[in-house]
Amino acid sequence: MYRLLLGLIVGFLCVSPVFAADAGEVSVPLEGEQPRGAEAREQALRQGLETVIRRLTGRDRVADLPGVAGVLEDPSRWLMRYAYDGGTPPRLNAVFDDRALVRHLSDQGAPVWSGERPPVLVWLVSEGTGQGRMVAAGDPLAETLTSAAARRGVSLTLPEWDQRDRDPVAVAAIRGRFDGPLLQASRRYETDWVATAVLYDSGQGGATTLNWRLLQDGDAVASSRDRADDSGAALDRLVDVIADRIAERYSVRSGAGDGGDGADDGEPSEPAGDALVDRSGWITVRGVQSLTDWQRLRQALSDLGPMRSVALRVASDDRVQFEVDFAGGRSQLIRSVTGVGGLSECEEPAAESPTFCFR
C-alpha cells in the first residue's frame, strides 16, 4: 500500500486533465466572394463555435442558453488555432478550447455534458429491393451517420456485421423488433445504449421513412416513425433524438444564472435536499489496486465536463477518496460518475460520501 500511495502522489503531480480530444475541432465551409477574407473567416468561426457548444451542452438550439450569447460575440477568445483547407468550397479548420468553454458555460448556468459520452450501437437496415441490407462501416449511409454524430457530439458504433453478428441476428429481426437475439448480439460491443432503425427510401424523389427505436439497458426509451425529404434528413433526425436523450441523462447544470433551481426548458430540477451546487465535496472509490488504475480513474473523472478539479484526499487499502469540485448536485454527480467506464455505484446507504466500485 505504501508503494501505491507514493505512486498516487507522483501521479497527482504528473497527470493533467484532458477533455475529449475532438470536441473542440471543427471544419466549416468558407462562403462569400472572398472566402479567405476577414468577414468570411469570422462567420465561419462563429458557425464552428456554435457547433462546439452543441457538442458540449447536448442541445441543438443553443442561442438562448445562459452565457452562450456572450461566448458567440467573441469567437477568437476561445480559439486555439485555425488553418485554411483548399477545396471547393474552401474550408476553415479550427480548434476551440473546449475545456475553458465547459467551465465558462457551467459557471453561467448552462447545461454541460460529461466528458465521456456513452457509445450508442446503431443497427440500421436500408430497405431496397429484396430483404434489405445491414449498414456497416464503409457504407455511404454510415458516413452520413458519422457526420450527423460529429455535429451533435455523440459517439455512434455500427456493427461489424460479420459471422458473429449474423449468427444470432437476421435483418428481419430488426424489422420485426425481436429484441432477444438483437441484445444478445449487442453484448460484444459493451454498450448500454442500442438503436434500431429501418430506412425506406424510394430514391425517386419521394419521401423517405425511418422507423426507429432507442433502447437503454434493453428497455425502449423512445421510438417513432418519421418522414423526411431524404435519407440524410431522416438520419439527422435519428441522431438528434439520440443526442437529446443522452443529454437528458448525462448533462449537468450548476443552477447559476437561473435562480439556482437547475431547470432548463421544462426539464426537472435537482430534487429538494440534494447537495448544494458549486461546492467542493468528495467521492470514495473501492477496488483501486494499482497506480495505473488510479491514473486512469483520475483522468476519467477530470474529463467530466462539470468536474472543475479532482484531487487525492485519502488512499487506504483498496479505497481511494477524491476531493472534487463539481458544478452540480449530489444526484447529478452520481449520474455523471456512473457514466465513467469501470465505475458503478456501490450499495453503501450509510456512506458519508458517494461511493463507487471500480472494476
Side-chain angles (χ1 to χ4, degrees):
M1 189 63 208
Y2 172 77
R3 290 183 178 179
L4 174 58
L5 181 57
L6 180 60
L8 295 183
I9 295 172
V10 173
F12 175 76
L13 296 174
C14 296
V15 177
S16 59
V18 179
F19 197 64
D22 57 354
E25 300 178 9
V26 289
S27 179
V28 184
L30 290 160
E31 301 175 350
E33 295 181 359
Q34 295 181 324
R36 292 184 179 240
E39 183 177 350
R41 182 180 65 247
E42 290 304 312
Q43 181 179 348
L45 287 175
R46 180 186 173 94
Q47 183 180 343
L49 184 55
E50 286 182 348
T51 297
V52 172
I53 294 173
R54 289 189 187 97
R55 295 171 182 169
L56 299 179
T57 63
R59 270 60 173 180
D60 191 28
R61 299 178 181 177
V62 299
D64 295 330
L65 294 178
V68 170
V71 168
L72 292 177
E73 286 179 359
D74 186 13
S76 61
R77 173 185 173 186
W78 314 97
L79 183 64
M80 299 178 70
R81 61 183 181 275
Y82 73 90
Y84 292 103
D85 186 8
T88 306
R91 305 183 71 86
L92 182 74
N93 298 330
V95 179
F96 291 94
D97 189 345
D98 46 344
R99 171 66 74 176
L101 280 165
V102 163
R103 297 193 187 283
H104 178 79
L105 292 172
S106 177
D107 287 341
Q108 297 299 312
V112 294
W113 276 20
S114 63
E116 184 170 331
R117 314 291 167 82
V120 180
L121 176 64
V122 180
W123 298 89
L124 173 62
V125 173
S126 178
E127 286 286 357
T129 58
Q131 297 182 347
R133 74 177 194 279
M134 188 71 70
V135 174
D139 190 290
L141 289 177
E143 296 177 4
T144 301
L145 273 174
T146 299
S147 177
R151 176 177 58 83
R152 290 299 305 270
V154 295
S155 176
L156 300 185
T157 300
L158 289 169
E160 297 290 337
W161 201 233
D162 54 12
Q163 197 61 47
R164 189 175 171 185
D165 287 335
R166 290 189 178 95
D167 282 344
V169 178
V171 170
I174 308 299
R175 290 197 303 266
R177 300 187 174 185
F178 300 120
D179 290 345
L182 177 73
L183 294 175
Q184 177 186 345
S186 299
R187 291 194 188 103
R188 68 181 287 196
Y189 299 99
E190 298 182 351
T191 176
D192 297 330
W193 294 83
V194 175
T196 67
V198 183
L199 182 70
Y200 300 91
D201 190 350
S202 65
Q204 300 175 353
T208 297
T209 302
L210 185 70
N211 291 347
W212 59 265
R213 289 190 308 153
L214 179 62
L215 298 89
Q216 182 186 15
D217 295 322
D219 297 324
V221 296
S223 63
S224 184
R225 179 183 177 90
D226 294 333
R227 293 175 66 84
D229 292 337
D230 53 42
S231 58
L235 294 180
D236 276 349
R237 166 61 181 160
L238 175 62
V239 172
D240 283 342
V241 171
I242 291 173
D244 290 344
R245 287 296 176 141
I246 294 180
E248 289 173 6
R249 174 66 175 80
Y250 291 100
S251 65
V252 172
R253 68 183 294 161
S254 68
D258 63 350
D261 62 2
D264 176 33
D265 299 329
E267 293 180 9
S269 61
E270 284 298 299
D274 192 23
L276 297 176
V277 298
D278 297 323
R279 57 162 291 179
S280 295
W282 60 87
I283 62 174
T284 301
V285 181
R286 294 169 45 190
V288 179
Q289 302 288 346
S290 68
L291 174 60
T292 300
D293 287 345
W294 178 82
Q295 288 178 323
R296 181 162 64 90
L297 179 59
R298 181 180 179 274
Q299 186 69 73
L301 293 173
S302 298
D303 283 349
L304 294 175
M307 191 72 75
R308 293 167 176 166
S309 65
V310 179
L312 177 66
R313 191 170 186 264
V314 176
S316 130
D317 297 327
D318 70 339
R319 291 176 180 245
V320 174
Q321 197 168 66
F322 295 102
E323 184 173 357
V324 299
D325 183 2
F326 183 82
R330 178 187 175 105
S331 62
Q332 292 176 319
L333 172 65
I334 292 173
R335 286 202 308 269
S336 292
V337 173
T338 51
V340 172
L343 284 181
S344 59
E345 188 178 7
C346 298
E347 295 182 2
E348 293 191 14
E352 183 179 1
S353 64
T355 302
F356 303 90
C357 291
F358 182 74
R359 63 182 188 279

